[in-house]
């Protein structure tokens, strides 16, 4: 599975990273396997933009409070080539101690 926080793969102008199981560059073309699809698809190099090594600003972890609950939400951004941003969110319940 492709790590979406470290990779951004755009095929023919559409972001496909979350749907890709594996991607390899062979002699000017890409061999791509999509999740839940047993076939390998070949794309010309000019149809695929594969960005790696993003900048990662410090994560933001605000806390949201609701009735008798405290949820901590982590936000992580990956910035590719100062043009594309990938965001990931994670929510965790925290115990409230009185």
């Amino acid at each position: 599975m492709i790590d979406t926080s470290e990779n951004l793969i755009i095929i023919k102008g559409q972001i496909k990273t979350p749907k890709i199981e594996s991607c390899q560059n062979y002699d000017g073309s890409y061999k791509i396997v999509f999740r839940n699809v047993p076939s390998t698809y070949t794309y010309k190099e000019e149809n695929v933009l594969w960005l790696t090594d993003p900048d990662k600003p410090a994560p933001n972890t605000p806390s949201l409070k609701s009735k008798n609950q405290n949820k901590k939400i982590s936000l992580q951004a990956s910035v590719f080539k100062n043009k594309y941003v990938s965001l990931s969110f994670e929510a965790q319940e925290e115990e409230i101690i009185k």
Side-chain angles (χ1 to χ4, degrees):
M1 179 174 1
I2 299 291
D3 182 351
T4 57
S5 69
E6 295 293 330
N7 297 273
L8 181 65
I9 301 172
I10 300 171
I11 301 173
K12 296 182 178 180
Q14 295 184 345
I15 296 172
K16 297 290 185 177
T17 317
K19 297 178 181 181
I20 295 176
E21 185 66 33
S22 67
C23 180
Q24 297 178 342
N25 190 332
Y26 287 111
D27 271 344
S29 66
Y30 284 92
K31 305 287 185 188
I32 297 177
V33 176
F34 291 93
R35 290 186 193 177
N36 303 319
V37 180
S39 302
T40 299
Y41 293 86
T42 303
Y43 292 91
K44 292 180 183 177
E45 200 168 47
E46 61 264 18
N47 291 326
V48 178
L49 177 60
W50 186 357
L51 302 174
T52 59
D53 194 28
D55 293 326
K56 293 188 175 184
N60 181 2
T61 55
S63 292
L64 300 178
K65 292 183 180 181
S66 62
K67 197 174 193 179
N68 298 323
Q69 289 184 351
N70 190 22
K71 293 196 184 257
K72 186 176 187 179
I73 298 176
S74 300
L75 167 63
Q76 177 62 56
S78 298
V79 182
F80 296 89
K81 304 287 185 198
N82 288 326
K83 185 174 182 180
Y84 302 97
V85 177
S86 174
L87 298 175
S88 61
F89 300 88
E90 182 180 347
Q92 298 174 342
E93 294 218 14
E94 291 186 333
E95 184 178 344
I96 298 174
I97 300 173
K98 294 183 180 184

